[in-house]
Amino acid sequence: MTYCNDKIIEWVMRRRWYPLKGVAPDEVITLNLGVNLKGLLLKIRSQQVFTPVVIRENDYVEGEYTVEYVENLIKNEGLLKVRKYSVFPEGNINVKPLPTAWTNVISIIEVGGRKYVLKGYRTFSPELTEPKFLRYLTMRKFPYSPELVLEATLGEVVIAVMTKYVESLGDGGMPFYLSALKYFESKEYDNIEVKARRLGSIVASFHKTMSLCNEEWCLPKKATDDIIDVWLNDIKQQEVRARESMRKLKEELGVDAVQLIDNSLSKLEKNLRELRGLKLIRTHGDLHLAQTLYDGKDFILIDFEGEPGRTEGRRSLLETASRDLACLLRSLHYITMFAYAESKKKKLEEVFRDFLKYEDLREEASEWQDRVFSALLEEYLRVIDLRDIQGVDDKEVFIKSLKAWVLERSLYEFFYEISYGTGYVYVPLEHIVRENN
């Protein structure tokens, strides 16, 4: 069915996840999923999105926020193909929307007293990696990721997953931020290195598991010039889009960002070329600390969708395992600058200027970060067999690749922050300036 009334189209176009604001969809396919339950598949230029919609009198509600849609999934009724990996208990269904700024729609589901997380994917694409991660890690009984209990597909495309709810104290960055804040306020270290080592061990276990994957989407391979070309072209395209904003930084900060980035890209190309021949595995792809949950003992890896500022083609590529470690190191740098700013009651821009002007302040701030990451990396390297994840048992090769990815990730962060106007561009820029000096 290709007809859909104007009112519901207007409603869809107001959703936060709608890809092109003000641009009407070129095509809308309406699917009958149940009583007062529709599925809308929309094509907007080159993009496709899907949303389930519950119709209530004169209003519409996104399906993931309703009992009707959840019940439809669990009972496996309607056009959607549902695969269950666990038996659901009998009992009432309660739905609690989880408001986010993300593209996807998330809610907390309670069924017969058990809690689950339902995530609906708005991007309609067979290239989505998270369902593949969750399916594989669940089948491998990997203990440090959410357990998949249900996935729903339309045709061959996954449009929703449900996982067991993970009880946690908060995201994985929380204990590290509190530790950094304590250090900057009192110069005292707590037991954060113990937590860092635990995280290093868990990431090593994750990489070992992924190195064994023999499915097409995650089958390890060697780094070739063609793959490295895609890595580099992606970051260069981001640079082109951000160039005008980079010129403005020179006026605001007195920093020639264009020259800094040009120098960094030249250095990056040389460093990434040296990874030729190394083993590549399917990495997490965006492993900053907010992509983990901390339960007081362990860290749970979540959100396997890859970096939001990347193309699907770039997100589909394998990488050396060291890139996940680079993302964690960059995440610690963010925590360092934010915690330092809070402890000194300063803005990020002021901290950035202070670090450029006073080398001793920057070194003082880096002590906490270096100590924590050293503990994480030491435990990771103690647990992992480098031959499994990079093809050669050579620690220096791993460190070399880690440094290359730290620069690549900082450039990605710079382009992302400057393009979206987050106000956080000072964090990656601080690292890029240091790299150039």
Side-chain angles (χ1 to χ4, degrees):
M1 177 177 176
T2 58
Y3 171 76
C4 196
N5 67 57
D6 292 341
K7 186 177 179 181
I8 197 169
I9 294 297
E10 292 171 0
W11 176 85
V12 167
M13 291 177 65
R14 293 195 299 270
R15 299 308 95 191
R16 71 185 183 284
W17 42 260
Y18 191 78
L20 296 175
K21 301 305 179 186
V23 178
D26 301 303
E27 182 181 3
V28 181
I29 298 176
T30 306
L31 307 170
N32 291 313
L33 303 182
V35 178
N36 294 326
L37 177 59
K38 305 292 184 183
L40 301 181
L41 181 59
L42 305 98
K43 182 177 182 181
I44 309 99
R45 304 285 171 82
S46 62
Q47 303 181 59
Q48 283 188 297
V49 296
F50 174 84
T51 181
V53 181
V54 170
I55 302 172
R56 290 179 177 169
E57 295 182 359
N58 295 320
D59 197 11
Y60 307 102
V61 183
E62 292 177 74
E64 292 87 356
Y65 295 154
T66 69
V67 171
E68 296 95 316
Y69 180 63
V70 174
E71 190 173 49
N72 181 281
L73 292 178
I74 293 176
K75 290 183 177 181
N76 195 7
E77 298 176 342
L79 292 176
L80 301 179
K81 180 182 176 182
V82 176
R83 181 179 181 184
K84 297 178 186 177
Y85 297 85
S86 181
V87 177
F88 286 86
E90 298 291 332
N92 293 332
I93 296 174
N94 295 307
V95 178
K96 179 183 178 182
L98 190 63
T100 73
W102 306 324
T103 300
N104 299 315
V105 179
I106 302 175
S107 55
I108 307 299
I109 311 298
E110 189 171 318
V111 184
R114 293 185 189 172
K115 293 171 73 175
Y116 305 91
V117 176
L118 173 64
K119 177 185 282 190
Y121 298 106
R122 289 298 177 257
T123 298
F124 188 78
S125 170
E127 302 302 322
L128 292 176
T129 57
E130 182 168 57
K132 300 172 185 177
F133 268 110
L134 293 172
R135 192 183 310 129
Y136 173 72
L137 294 172
T138 296
M139 298 302 287
R140 296 284 305 190
K141 299 187 184 304
F142 181 70
Y144 306 112
S145 64
E147 181 182 340
L148 181 66
V149 296
L150 177 152
E151 65 178 338
T153 60
L154 178 60
E156 299 300 318
V157 178
V158 178
I159 52 91
V161 295
M162 195 180 297
T163 60
K164 288 185 177 179
Y165 181 82
V166 176
E167 297 286 351
S168 70
L169 301 178
D171 75 55
M174 178 265 297
F176 290 95
Y177 184 81
L178 294 177
S179 172
L181 197 58
K182 179 179 179 180
Y183 172 75
F184 292 133
E185 290 176 345
S186 66
K187 293 297 183 291
E188 294 180 5
Y189 284 101
D190 54 14
N191 67 342
I192 193 62
E193 289 170 86
V194 175
K195 297 180 179 67
R197 290 180 182 278
R198 185 59 185 152
L199 179 56
S201 175
I202 288 169
V203 175
S205 177
F206 169 65
H207 286 163
K208 171 66 175 179
T209 301
M210 295 311 301
S211 74
L212 298 173
C213 188
N214 59 6
E215 299 174 22
E216 184 179 353
W217 68 279
C218 56
L219 184 67
K221 61 180 65 174
K222 286 187 177 182
T224 64
D225 281 323
D226 287 343
I227 291 174
I228 294 170
D229 284 342
V230 179
W231 292 343
L232 290 167
N233 289 338
D234 178 82
I235 206 78
K236 288 176 180 178
Q237 288 171 13
Q238 294 184 55
E239 186 268 343
V240 171
R241 292 192 293 268
R243 190 163 281 262
E244 184 57 37
S245 298
M246 288 158 52
R247 291 192 182 98
K248 293 179 181 178
L249 273 183
K250 185 173 184 179
E251 301 171 8
E252 297 171 8
L253 300 176
V255 173
D256 189 347
V258 173
Q259 187 61 53
L260 283 172
I261 298 303
D262 285 345
N263 293 344
S264 297
L265 287 172
S266 296
K267 181 177 181 180
L268 178 65
E269 177 158 11
K270 176 179 180 296
N271 292 347
L272 288 182
R273 292 291 178 197
E274 293 177 353
L275 306 187
R276 187 188 300 107
L278 289 183
K279 182 178 181 180
L280 306 180
I281 66 170
R282 175 64 64 182
T283 63
H284 179 283
D286 191 22
L287 192 55
H288 56 80
L289 288 163
Q291 304 284 46
T292 69
L293 297 174
Y294 179 63
D295 65 6
K297 176 188 175 184
D298 289 325
F299 294 86
I300 306 299
L301 310 185
I302 61 173
D303 290 339
F304 296 90
E305 297 177 55
E307 293 162 321
R310 302 287 196 187
T311 63
E312 283 189 1
R314 174 62 183 89
R315 286 196 294 266
S316 70
L317 291 183
L318 306 186
E319 299 162 331
T320 64
S322 53
R323 190 173 190 277
D324 279 345
L325 276 293
C327 292
L328 287 171
L329 177 54
R330 293 296 309 134
S331 187
L332 288 172
H333 184 214
Y334 270 76
I335 284 176
T336 297
M337 287 194 66
F338 272 89
Y340 189 89
E342 181 175 343
S343 69
K344 305 302 180 184
K345 309 302 180 188
K346 292 187 173 185
K347 297 178 180 178
L348 269 181
E349 181 181 346
E350 294 176 300
V351 173
F352 170 78
R353 292 181 184 277
D354 286 348
F355 283 5
L356 289 190
K357 188 174 182 180
Y358 306 108
E359 181 70 15
D360 57 329
L361 291 182
R362 188 197 63 75
E363 290 181 353
E364 173 194 349
S366 296
E367 285 181 14
W368 177 88
Q369 174 185 317
D370 293 345
R371 184 166 177 168
V372 172
F373 186 72
S374 292
L376 187 157
L377 180 60
E378 181 179 306
E379 183 66 10
Y380 176 90
L381 291 173
R382 187 188 72 80
V383 173
I384 201 73
D385 185 335
L386 289 177
R387 285 169 295 189
D388 290 337
I389 53 102
Q390 71 173 14
V392 292
D393 187 15
D394 190 325
K395 180 179 175 181
E396 293 306 314
V397 169
F398 185 86
I399 298 301
K400 196 172 186 178
S401 67
L402 172 61
K403 290 179 178 178
W405 285 121
V406 169
L407 177 57
E408 189 269 354
R409 173 71 177 195
S410 66
L411 287 168
Y412 164 79
E413 292 165 350
F414 175 81
F415 297 134
Y416 181 88
E417 309 290 15
I418 202 171
S419 297
Y420 287 90
T422 62
Y424 305 154
V425 70
Y426 309 105
V427 182
L429 183 58
E430 195 273 335
H431 175 79
I432 292 167
V433 170
R434 275 193 284 124
E435 278 289 305
N436 277 266
N437 289 340

